[in-house]
Amino acid sequence: MSKSRYDKSKLPSRHVTEGPARAPHRSYFYAMGIQEEEIHAPWVGVATCWNEAAPCNIALNRQAQAVKQGVKKEGGTPREFTTITVTDGIAMGHEGMRSSLASRDAIADTVELTMRGHCYDALVGLAGCDKSLPGMMMAMVRLNTPSVFIYGGSILPGRLNGKDVTVQDVFEAVGKHQAGNYSDAELDVLERVACPSAGACGGQFTANTMACVSEAVGLALPNSSGAPAPYESRDQYGEASGEAVMRLIEKNIRARDIVTRKSLENAARIVACTGGSTNAALHLPAIAHEGGIEFDLFDVADIFRDTPYFVDLKPGGQYVAKDLYESGGVPVVMRELRKIGLIHEDCMTATGRTMGEELDLVEREADGRVIYPSATPITKTGGVVGLKGNLAPEGAIVKVAGMSVEEQSFTGPARVFECEEDAFEAVKKREYEEGEVIVIRNEGPAGGPGMREMLATTAALSGQGMGKKVALITDGRFSGATRGFCVGHVGPEAAHGGPIGMLKNGDMITINAITGELSVDLSEDELAKRREAWGGPRKTIYDTGALWKYAQLVGGARKGAVTHPGGSKESHVYMDL
């Protein structure tokens, strides 16, 4: 190993590999067949979210082996470890969904603890399902190690009756079935063909949205998020990611050199122009928080407001992640954003080159089918919009991709439900009226606890043909697969005394995605009176365990529903210990 290339004296692994006092530690390494030269090389944690819970994670184990080959090729010592995931598609629509958002922070925590405990010098993180992507990126920024992120890849679309289908279609088919418009036999066929391979959900839902973010923010290699999970070509990206992290160690380029305010703005642009998941407005502030960067829901909303929507992906559009990849992927989308001056080109990336230098290498043009030219977008403003008003002083978020201008404003009386189950039962029985605003409260990060997604309810509404005839607001979240006029992240949440907790049936609510308004026709005096009469947070069944701890720690959605003070309060950086 050339000492001029890697200065071990400044790397964390020296604490477990160097000097006579570390002879016991080296004994453990020899026990695993690690050779002397490998012991004294840089150590790279290869963290994967592999498990057998769902197709999004099942291919990560194989891909990790390719990453390790790349690390070894460049003279590093890779050590693979796994962390948890909670897969939203399995957790959806029942109590299990409370574990989803909490798992994001648990992933970041467990990766941090593993890295600290074993003194690894760098991190390559592989993730598949929704929360595992931001969780892994949060750990990278928190630790501030040289870091490369790699997405496990999307699922291939299913085919039925000559059309592509995804799990979104299955959720919506449940609504059609409940309405009597879809038979048992049809549902049986659809559920068997909708998900034909390994990989994360194929539309521009949360996993693919955050995969695009990983490239745009600079932590992932260009185009690495595009190839579907079953493609053996993903191994090339894995190997290249392993090689890249060694170059970052050599140049001492760390995660916070890559993740900056400017690169987060680039990431928000990619969410808006692809009509990505509203969950990005939760995860981008959380990633920023790890680095001590001020970047909250309103900052994200500002970016969304002036970014055109020009990539036609499900659920608002027609195509899936495989189609985006075949059209040139994120690099072509970023190049289109550059053409209209909406990309910070001086941001560093995991390649060791700037974003501008990377985009100079892109030769493909927008195909006009999946990726429209940015000069002639699908709509002039982003597919995701931030809202604010007396019903959401700390903001809210709504996806408008695929909606006409006329569909982006709605005024109607509130129909209030105290939890998702109550709302779902009412929707199933058609106990609501056209023109109403369905309110689901007590589903925020603390009040849920866990800030569940409402896909079962919104998909049932769509399946009943009512997706455009009612609106829905919640202090919980929505799946990236949600469509219809559905407002999430309403803050402050009900459990924190937010106005959503004071609503009554019949209160007139106005949602206007054009002007960015979410308000209720109540005076400040009336809201204050109701707050005085409020009986406090709704009691949950979580009095112990992980979700109890989460509820005690978690903050509001505006700043990403984070659970610790973040980078602005730290008194040391892991890499410098």
Side-chain angles (χ1 to χ4, degrees):
M1 179 63 55
S2 168
K3 287 185 180 177
S4 63
R5 189 172 181 200
Y6 303 113
D7 183 359
K8 184 81 169 184
S9 70
K10 293 184 179 177
L11 295 177
S13 64
R14 73 186 187 279
H15 297 303
V16 294
T17 66
E18 307 305 306
R22 298 305 179 239
H25 304 64
R26 290 191 293 273
S27 290
Y28 284 128
F29 302 145
Y30 286 121
M32 293 183 283
I34 302 173
Q35 302 300 308
E36 182 177 6
E37 184 180 1
E38 294 173 304
I39 289 173
H40 298 294
W43 287 57
V44 177
V46 179
T48 88
C49 297
W50 176 86
N51 61 36
E52 294 182 329
C56 27
N57 308 311
I58 205 75
L60 295 176
N61 179 276
R62 179 180 64 78
Q63 294 184 34
Q65 310 320 308
V67 172
K68 286 152 68 176
Q69 286 179 355
V71 171
K72 287 179 180 178
K73 190 184 286 186
E74 291 297 313
T77 301
R79 304 312 294 162
E80 182 181 351
F81 64 92
T82 59
T83 183
I84 68 159
T85 56
V86 172
T87 295
D88 288 10
I90 304 291
M92 193 71 68
H94 55 88
E95 283 293 307
M97 179 46 79
R98 301 196 189 283
S99 299
S100 170
L101 185 59
S103 77
R104 181 196 71 180
D105 296 71
I107 289 163
D109 292 349
T110 51
V111 172
E112 177 197 359
L113 292 171
T114 303
M115 293 285 291
R116 284 183 180 274
H118 301 107
C119 298
Y120 295 151
D121 302 317
L123 175 60
V124 180
L126 297 93
C129 193
D130 298 1
K131 307 308 170 297
S132 59
L133 284 82
M136 195 65 74
M137 288 186 265
M138 287 162 67
M140 291 171 174
V141 178
R142 184 185 302 179
L143 290 161
N144 198 25
T145 55
S147 301
V148 178
F149 178 87
I150 184 160
Y151 179 44
S154 69
I155 200 168
L156 293 171
R159 294 287 289 179
L160 184 62
N161 302 326
K163 293 182 179 178
D164 282 353
V165 290
T166 70
V167 74
Q168 174 196 351
D169 297 289
V170 188
F171 274 101
E172 293 184 4
V174 171
K176 293 177 186 175
H177 182 268
Q178 288 163 354
N181 299 325
Y182 211 77
S183 70
D184 289 350
E186 287 175 305
L187 193 59
D188 189 53
V189 171
L190 178 60
E191 71 182 54
R192 291 167 191 269
V193 301
C195 299
S197 74
C201 299
Q204 194 65 341
F205 313 150
T206 305
N208 281 314
T209 298
M210 295 309 297
C212 291
V213 161
S214 72
E215 286 191 42
V217 83
L219 285 172
L221 299 184
N223 213 28
S224 63
S225 69
Y231 286 16
E232 296 290 326
S233 60
R234 290 212 60 80
D235 288 359
Q236 297 170 30
Y237 288 110
E239 191 166 326
S241 296
E243 294 172 13
V245 83
M246 296 307 296
R247 291 192 292 271
L248 296 180
I249 294 173
E250 183 182 4
K251 296 176 180 178
N252 194 29
I253 296 173
R254 303 180 181 183
R256 294 185 197 175
D257 297 318
I258 292 170
V259 178
T260 63
R261 168 73 189 226
K262 284 183 175 181
S263 73
L264 288 161
E265 290 177 359
N266 286 347
R269 297 281 184 205
I270 205 87
V271 177
C273 75
T274 60
S277 168
T278 54
N279 284 311
L282 200 64
H283 301 324
L284 288 172
I287 294 167
H289 177 77
E290 298 292 352
I293 301 165
E294 287 292 327
F295 191 68
D296 67 12
L297 171 63
F298 293 130
D299 296 310
V300 175
D302 287 345
I303 300 287
F304 289 168
R305 191 175 299 113
D306 62 1
T307 308
Y309 164 53
F310 59 85
V311 187
D312 191 22
L313 297 171
K314 288 177 179 283
Q318 301 179 63
Y319 299 102
V320 294
K322 173 177 173 284
D323 302 310
L324 175 60
Y325 175 63
E326 290 170 353
S327 302
V330 172
V332 172
V333 177
M334 298 284 284
R335 190 165 178 260
E336 286 301 317
L337 284 167
R338 177 163 81 164
K339 287 179 182 178
I340 52 175
L342 294 182
I343 285 293
H344 299 293
E345 297 187 42
D346 56 346
C347 296
M348 181 54 63
T349 75
T351 64
R353 296 184 290 269
T354 66
M355 182 60 71
E357 289 170 331
E358 288 300 331
L359 294 179
D360 286 341
L361 303 174
V362 179
E363 296 179 351
R364 293 185 67 175
E365 295 286 345
D367 66 341
R369 183 181 70 101
V370 180
I371 306 170
Y372 285 55
S374 55
T376 55
I378 300 167
T379 59
K380 290 184 179 178
T381 56
V384 186
V385 174
L387 306 173
K388 191 178 183 183
N390 71 340
L391 188 44
E394 291 186 3
I397 200 88
V398 61
K399 180 186 280 195
V400 296
M403 294 174 67
S404 68
V405 172
E406 294 74 31
E407 292 167 346
Q408 293 182 33
S409 60
F410 196 103
T411 297
R415 171 84 66 156
V416 181
F417 298 97
E418 301 298 337
C419 63
E420 185 193 13
E421 285 84 357
D422 291 354
F424 184 68
E425 282 303 310
V427 169
K428 202 161 67 170
K429 296 172 184 173
R430 298 295 291 260
E431 293 175 349
Y432 65 94
E433 301 291 335
E434 184 176 326
E436 289 184 330
V437 179
I438 294 171
V439 178
I440 307 176
R441 63 188 177 199
N442 302 305
E443 294 289 1
M451 204 179 187
R452 288 189 293 179
E453 293 181 348
M454 306 291 144
L455 179 59
T457 303
T458 60
L461 287 167
S462 292
Q464 292 174 1
M466 296 294 284
K468 295 181 178 180
K469 297 175 182 177
V470 295
L472 194 155
I473 71 168
T474 180
D475 51 7
R477 299 181 295 124
F478 292 112
S479 163
T482 291
R483 56 179 175 162
F485 208 22
C486 300
V487 178
H489 306 194
V490 174
E493 61 173 291
H496 290 165
I500 191 172
M502 312 304 144
L503 293 177
K504 296 179 181 178
N505 286 335
D507 289 341
M508 293 301 291
I509 293 172
T510 295
I511 311 165
N512 191 321
I514 315 271
T515 61
E517 177 189 356
L518 177 58
S519 62
V520 58
D521 188 16
L522 296 173
S523 68
E524 282 305 304
D525 285 347
E526 176 59 23
L527 278 170
K529 280 180 193 171
R530 292 189 187 184
R531 196 170 286 110
E532 263 182 52
W534 181 56
R538 179 174 182 259
K539 182 161 173 43
T540 78
I541 60 172
Y542 296 95
D543 296 323
T544 61
L547 285 169
W548 177 86
K549 283 195 287 188
Y550 181 78
Q552 310 311 304
L553 292 169
V554 70
R558 176 180 175 178
K559 295 189 176 180
V562 293
T563 55
H564 71 113
S568 65
K569 303 292 185 184
E570 69 190 8
S571 55
H572 78 275
V573 174
Y574 161 74
M575 280 297 288
D576 297 327
L577 285 175

